[in-house]
Amino acid sequence: MLVRKLLTVAALAAFVTGGAFLSTGTASATTTLVSNSCTGSVTGQMGDQVAIDGASVKTLVTNGANNAGTLAIGSWAGDSIAKNHSIPVGQVPNATGGEATGAAIGKAVRTALANSGTWGLGLDWNKTLDSVESTVAKGCGLTLLASNYVAPSTPAGRSDTGAPQGSAGTAPGGASGNLSNLNPGTAGGTGGSAPMRDYSGIPTATAGTAVAPGVRYPANGTLPGDASAPQAGVGDQSGQGADIRDAGNAQSLASNGASNDVQLPMLIAVIVLAGVTAGLVRTWVLRRAA
C-alpha cells in the first residue's frame, strides 16, 4: 500500500514537472524585440513581438502633457513613461515587411501612461492623455522587417504565364499556338504582354462603285442594277412619276411623208449646187479661150 502511494506521488510530480517544462518552452518561443527609438526600422523573425523603450518617447510625452492645458506636469509624466522599458506596439508580419504606425504607438503609450498612476496628468486625465497620444502619433512610426520571409516560388513544371512548360496553349483572340513567346509579368505587379497580332489572314472588302445616297434604298425596294427592276427602254414607262425617268427615253418627230421621199430643202440645195457648178465651169472656159 505504501509503495502504491509513493508511485502515485512520483507520477504526479513528474506530470507537474513536465507540464511546467512544456509551459516554459512555449513561453520562451515568443521573442520580444525592444527598440530604443520610436522611429526607423526593426528586423526580426516572423511573429516576434515589437516593443519600444519608454525613454524613447519621454520628450514627446512631456510636450504632450504640457500642451494639454490641464495644469499637467509634463516632466512627471515623461519620467513616469521612461520607467517602462517595454511598451508593446506591434508584431513582425508574415510577409517581407510591415509597420507599426504612429497611431498604434501613440495608443500604446497612452495606455502605458494611464496605467502608471502618475500625478503629472493634471486635472483632466482624459484630455491630457489625448494630447499625449496625438503628440506621440505625429512623431513616431516603425518599419517592421521579417528576416526569415521567403517569397512563394512558382510550382515545378509551370511557367510564369500559368501554362505548363513545353505545352501549347491558346493565345489571346482564339489563335492556338505555343505560348513560349509571351512576355511574362514581373513580381512587382507589372502585367505580362503578348506579341503584336497578325491580321494578314483576315479577308478585306474591295471598293465598289459609289452610288448616290438618294438611290441606295429606293422606295420600290430594288437596288440599282437589279435584274428584276425595269431597265431603260424596256417595259412600260407610264407608271413612273414625272421626276423619275429611264435614260434614253427619246422619240423622233412625226413626219407626213414616206421615209424615202426627197424633201424640199434637199431639192433647193441640189439646184443651188448645180447653179454654182455651172457658173464655175463657164468662168473657167472663158478664161481658157481668152
Side-chain angles (χ1 to χ4, degrees), residues 54-55 57-59 61-62 65 73-85 113 116 118 120:
V57 292
K58 177 180 178 180
T59 302
V61 171
T62 300
I73 302 176
S75 59
W76 288 15
D79 292 340
S80 179
I81 200 66
K83 296 177 182 179
N84 192 336
H85 299 291
L113 185 61
S116 66
T118 180

Side-chain angles (χ1 to χ4, degrees), residues 92-113:
V92 177
N94 296 332
T96 304
E99 65 175 335
T101 62
I105 297 176
K107 188 174 182 179
V109 171
R110 176 196 177 106
T111 301
L113 185 61

Side-chain angles (χ1 to χ4, degrees), residues 15-86:
F15 177 77
V16 172
T17 303
F21 177 78
L22 292 175
S23 299
T24 303
T26 303
S28 62
T30 302
T31 303
T32 300
L33 306 175
V34 180
S35 174
N36 294 326
S37 175
C38 70
T39 59
S41 62
V42 176
T43 302
Q45 304 291 316
M46 292 185 298
D48 287 348
Q49 300 294 325
V50 179
I52 61 171
D53 191 334
S56 64
V57 292
K58 177 180 178 180
T59 302
L60 294 174
V61 171
T62 300
N63 294 336
N66 288 334
N67 296 332
T70 59
L71 300 179
I73 302 176
S75 59
W76 288 15
D79 292 340
S80 179
I81 200 66
K83 296 177 182 179
N84 192 336
H85 299 291
S86 181

Side-chain angles (χ1 to χ4, degrees), residues 96 149 151-152 154 160 184-192:
T96 304
Y149 175 76
T154 304
D160 292 339
T186 61
T190 303

Side-chain angles (χ1 to χ4, degrees), residues 188-214:
T190 303
S193 60
M196 296 182 63
R197 297 181 181 179
D198 184 10
Y199 297 100
S200 59
I202 299 178
T204 58
T206 57
T209 303
V211 181

Side-chain angles (χ1 to χ4, degrees), residues 12-286:
L12 291 175
F15 177 77
V16 172
T17 303
F21 177 78
L22 292 175
S23 299
T24 303
T26 303
S28 62
T30 302
T31 303
T32 300
L33 306 175
V34 180
S35 174
N36 294 326
S37 175
C38 70
T39 59
S41 62
V42 176
T43 302
Q45 304 291 316
M46 292 185 298
D48 287 348
Q49 300 294 325
V50 179
I52 61 171
D53 191 334
S56 64
V57 292
K58 177 180 178 180
T59 302
L60 294 174
V61 171
T62 300
N63 294 336
N66 288 334
N67 296 332
T70 59
L71 300 179
I73 302 176
S75 59
W76 288 15
D79 292 340
S80 179
I81 200 66
K83 296 177 182 179
N84 192 336
H85 299 291
S86 181
I87 303 175
V89 295
Q91 184 180 25
V92 177
N94 296 332
T96 304
E99 65 175 335
T101 62
I105 297 176
K107 188 174 182 179
V109 171
R110 176 196 177 106
T111 301
L113 185 61
N115 295 334
S116 66
T118 180
W119 291 96
L121 296 180
L123 301 177
D124 191 343
W125 284 27
N126 287 329
K127 187 175 180 181
T128 302
L129 292 175
D130 289 342
S131 178
V132 170
E133 179 181 357
S134 176
T135 303
V136 172
K138 293 177 180 179
C140 295
L142 285 173
T143 301
L144 310 180
L145 304 176
S147 60
N148 61 337
Y149 175 76
V150 179
S153 59
T154 304
R158 297 186 66 85
S159 63
D160 292 339
T161 59
Q165 295 180 355
S167 63
T170 301
S176 300
N178 194 343
L179 299 181
S180 60
N181 60 343
L182 295 179
N183 303 319
T186 61
T190 303
S193 60
M196 296 182 63
R197 297 181 181 179
D198 184 10
Y199 297 100
S200 59
I202 299 178
T204 58
T206 57
T209 303
V211 181
V215 298
R216 290 179 182 175
Y217 305 100
N220 58 3
T222 59
L223 296 175
D226 190 354
S228 62
Q231 302 299 318
V234 180
D236 187 10
Q237 304 293 328
S238 60
Q240 296 182 347
D243 56 342
I244 301 178
R245 296 183 178 86
D246 288 339
N249 188 17
Q251 297 179 359
S252 60
L253 297 176
S255 176
N256 295 327
S259 59
N260 56 354
D261 292 343
V262 179
Q263 301 297 324
L264 179 61
M266 180 64 69
L267 293 176
I268 296 176
V270 171
I271 294 173
V272 171
L273 181 60
V276 171
T277 301
L280 289 176
V281 172
R282 179 175 178 277
T283 302
W284 177 70
V285 171
L286 293 178

